[in-house]
Amino acid sequence: MNFQNILVTNEQHIATITINRPSKLNALNKATIDELHTAFMEANKDVNVKVIVLTGSGEKAFVAGADISEFADFDAKEGAKLAKRGQELIFDFIENLSTPVIATINGFALGGGLELAMACHFRIASDNAKMGLPEVSLGVIPGYGGTQRLAQLIGKGKAMELIMTAGMISADEAKNSGLVNHVTTLEDLVPTAYKIAGKIMRNSPHAIAAAIKAVNANFKDGVNGYEVEIEEFGNCFGTDDFIEGTSAFLEKRKANF
Ligand code: COA
């Protein structure tokens, strides 16, 4: 597939998707959102892809937000449509993928950029990264799930403060808040994600997909996460991965999923 705004590489069972609009600090315009949807869908369908790594091109930004130039003249109806479309096409879509997605935050992750990183299954940041949801400074609120996921990740009070002040936090502050799992140098950022991906892919892809579903269930309205866990746990028992994983343990060898 020929993309204009993103780059996709596929190596050693890792699909790396790079948002590639460095002159606009990788801001998410409509075309980029459409391309990201296609790239994530294809990577998730590819049985050879065990982990997806998302990053931004250049040394300055992961993503500096939704592309402000595209929505500055929108009315209420168009604004709501923009948020709904984006949430469906990439933010909710990524969160619910069965393939693990790691965000590597290599600079500014603001507004839709931080929302995108938060939709990924977990995050790693480089020490130059700056994160925030500055939407209220533009007279709007986060619309790609930021009000929900930031509160889930760092707690309601901290999320309220960060959103209301339109402030930015450093990579270390983000780590202390639980927003990112690790902080590295810019140079080590993607290699660290690949190292973690290597550990993930030793395990059963079926069980990992089930774990993503069960963890996500805790954050879905009207869904009992414990029930989802019981169901997904049970479903694992019928799989080839379960037979291989348990046999390998009993035979004192490494499982080959
Ligand atoms: N939407 C559209 N364009 C954006 C953008 C966004 N969210 N963020 C940055 N850009 C563009 C700038 O307009 C500029 O383009 P130009 O060179 O054609 O004028 C280019 O990216 C570089 O940005 P610039 O502002 O010159 O860089 P800086 O180093 O001075 O500042 C930021 C960096 C991130 C602090 C600043 O770009 C910024 O505040 N961006 C908007 C952040 C935001 O509010 N995001 C939430 C959107 S909902």
Side-chain angles (χ1 to χ4, degrees), residues 6-121:
I6 63 172
L7 305 167
V8 183
T9 60
N10 247 311
E11 267 172 55
Q12 305 198 351
H13 304 294
I14 302 172
T16 304
I17 300 176
T18 306
I19 300 162
N20 189 33
R21 299 182 76 214
S23 67
K24 296 291 173 191
L25 302 186
N26 303 322
L28 294 177
N29 60 0
K30 187 172 177 290
T32 306
I33 286 178
D34 289 344
E35 290 184 9
L36 281 171
H37 175 77
T38 305
F40 274 102
M41 189 172 60
E42 284 178 356
N44 193 56
K45 268 197 298 200
D46 185 340
V47 289
N48 286 313
V49 171
K50 309 273 191 209
V51 177
I52 303 169
V53 171
L54 176 64
T55 195
S57 109
E59 300 193 344
K60 200 168 168 187
F62 172 70
V63 170
D67 192 319
I68 298 167
S69 66
E70 279 193 347
F71 63 74
D73 61 354
F74 276 14
D75 62 20
K77 210 168 154 191
E78 290 169 308
K81 200 169 150 199
L82 176 78
K84 188 168 191 293
R85 183 175 188 277
Q87 289 196 17
E88 285 171 1
L89 278 183
I90 51 171
F91 298 83
D92 291 353
F93 188 72
I94 291 172
E95 184 172 66
N96 292 302
L97 288 182
S98 51
T99 310
V101 184
I102 308 173
T104 62
I105 305 174
N106 56 305
F108 287 113
L110 300 175
L114 180 56
E115 291 174 299
L116 183 60
M118 292 193 294
C120 297
H121 296 129

Side-chain angles (χ1 to χ4, degrees), residues 149-199:
R149 291 192 184 99
L150 188 63
Q152 288 165 8
L153 285 162
I154 71 173
K156 187 174 167 186
K158 282 187 182 152
M160 284 285 194
E161 183 179 341
L162 194 60
I163 291 168
M164 287 181 200
T165 57
M168 286 187 209
I169 57 172
S170 66
D172 284 333
E173 287 172 298
K175 186 175 173 226
N176 291 337
S177 299
L179 184 53
V180 305
N181 293 9
H182 307 278
V183 178
T184 71
T185 60
L186 188 56
E187 206 183 17
D188 286 340
L189 181 65
V190 172
T192 301
Y194 288 173
K195 211 169 147 190
I196 298 170
K199 290 184 186 174

